[in-house]
Amino acid sequence: MTTVADVRAAEEPITMLTAYDAPTAEIVEAAGIDVILVGDSMGNAVLGHDSTLPVTCEEVESRTAAVARATDETLVVADMPFLSFGVSEAEGIENAGRMVKEAGADAVKLESGPHTIELTERLVDLGIPVMAHLGLTPQHVNQLGGYGQQATTEEAARELLDLARAHAEAGAFSLVLEHIPANLAGAVTEAIEIPTIGIGAGPDCDGQVLVITDVVGLGEWSPPFSRQFGDVRSEIERAVTAYREAVESGEFPAEEHAEVVEEIEDVY
Ligand code: KIV
């Protein structure tokens, strides 16, 4: 079973993928992925929203519980949704606690900034492992004005490095770096003790994470830094069309799909 200690000490590249339901989590675990992130990317990926902002604690909790029930070996990280932390310390702790106590997450992820340093320390003190997240933090989309690359100036790069150090010191067990220059991600990885997990951050991180619907080719769109390793959308389209045609033509259900009970022949 992968633990946060294993992730911290990993010598091989760490593999992380999102999953939002039990069957997908089973497949991800069987494929040997180290960490499943029940990401608030579920907002765009499977809940039909055009950002992560509407995602609720109840949605992340319910989907984390499904993923936790379906897995034994994989570290399950629940993503804390927009405004479920940072409003008050007590509320942030309670919401993170729900993910662990009620949903069965092994850790939580917080989109990080200066406002999450103390909360990270507090959660870790209380026994809730924290994965930090810097660079492009999609919960700030309205402030950032889009989903572009972050930390592209020297000042912003230094700020990010300082925040990475501060979260490592606060006790985070790993750090997601999203959509930042690859050379900065390499420098952060060198500078801090905890592993970095990159998405759109180049090859020099200690691990990589992608969104499952991008990887399997289920969504209609995926970011340019991602890669589609399959074409599940076409396969679902093929199967659904074949089903419709079989019903319309009368070919399905066939005899082997229908059970006849002789004893009730007299009913007619
Ligand atoms: O919500 C998510 O899936 C994420 C990853 C992209 C890191 O935060």
Side-chain angles (χ1 to χ4, degrees):
M1 181 183 160
T2 308
T3 64
V4 293
D6 296 328
V7 170
R8 253 178 179 280
E11 305 222 332
E12 299 282 303
I14 299 158
T15 53
M16 177 158 105
L17 263 184
T18 67
Y20 317 107
D21 59 62
T24 309
E26 271 170 23
I27 296 167
V28 170
E29 174 160 285
I33 294 293
D34 301 313
V35 185
I36 293 180
L37 172 66
V38 187
D40 67 349
S41 53
M42 70 176 71
N44 312 67
V46 296
L47 297 179
H49 297 300
D50 59 9
S51 79
T52 60
L53 303 186
V55 174
T56 64
C57 261
E58 288 69 29
E59 284 165 338
V60 175
E61 195 179 334
S62 143
R63 282 165 181 273
T64 299
V67 167
R69 284 191 290 269
T71 52
D72 296 318
E73 299 300 322
T74 317
L75 191 81
V76 176
V77 180
D79 207 3
M80 298 292 292
F82 181 51
L83 297 186
S84 67
F85 62 99
V87 178
S88 79
E89 187 184 80
E91 217 181 301
I93 293 170
E94 264 171 41
N95 288 332
R98 277 169 61 180
M99 299 301 171
V100 174
K101 283 177 77 168
E102 286 159 39
D106 300 305
V108 297
K109 178 172 81 61
L110 305 180
E111 287 195 10
S112 311
H115 61 295
T116 54
I117 299 169
E118 272 177 36
L119 180 59
T120 298
E121 200 166 352
R122 191 85 177 91
L123 289 172
V124 173
D125 281 348
L126 290 168
I128 301 179
V130 173
M131 176 178 279
H133 179 165
L134 292 170
L136 174 61
T137 47
Q139 291 172 13
H140 288 82
V141 61
N142 288 329
Q143 210 162 353
L144 299 173
Y147 296 100
Q149 193 182 46
Q150 299 299 304
T152 51
T153 64
E154 198 177 320
E155 191 190 346
R158 278 189 206 290
E159 260 173 42
L160 189 142
L161 188 53
D162 288 345
L163 281 173
R165 287 200 175 101
H167 283 83
E169 275 162 28
F173 73 96
S174 58
L175 168 65
V176 169
L177 292 173
E178 180 165 355
H179 207 187
I180 61 170
N183 47 337
L184 174 59
V188 174
T189 303
E190 280 281 298
I192 61 174
E193 293 289 320
I194 58 171
T196 59
I197 303 178
I199 172 163
D204 293 331
C205 295
D206 297 302
Q208 296 291 326
V209 55
L210 285 177
V211 168
I212 186 78
T213 47
D214 297 339
V215 168
V216 301
L218 181 59
E220 271 183 301
W221 178 88
S222 61
F225 53 72
S226 188
R227 179 155 143 202
Q228 195 180 314
F229 291 81
D231 190 5
V232 163
R233 194 179 179 91
S234 299
E235 181 54 21
I236 293 178
E237 269 167 18
R238 190 204 57 72
V240 172
T241 305
Y243 161 72
R244 177 181 58 71
E245 286 171 356
V247 171
E248 285 174 356
S249 69
E251 185 222 317
F252 178 84
E255 255 179 46
E256 72 263 31
H257 305 119
E259 261 183 84
V260 172
V261 177
E262 303 293 343
E263 286 74 12
I264 59 170
E265 286 291 326
D266 291 349
V267 164
Y268 312 108

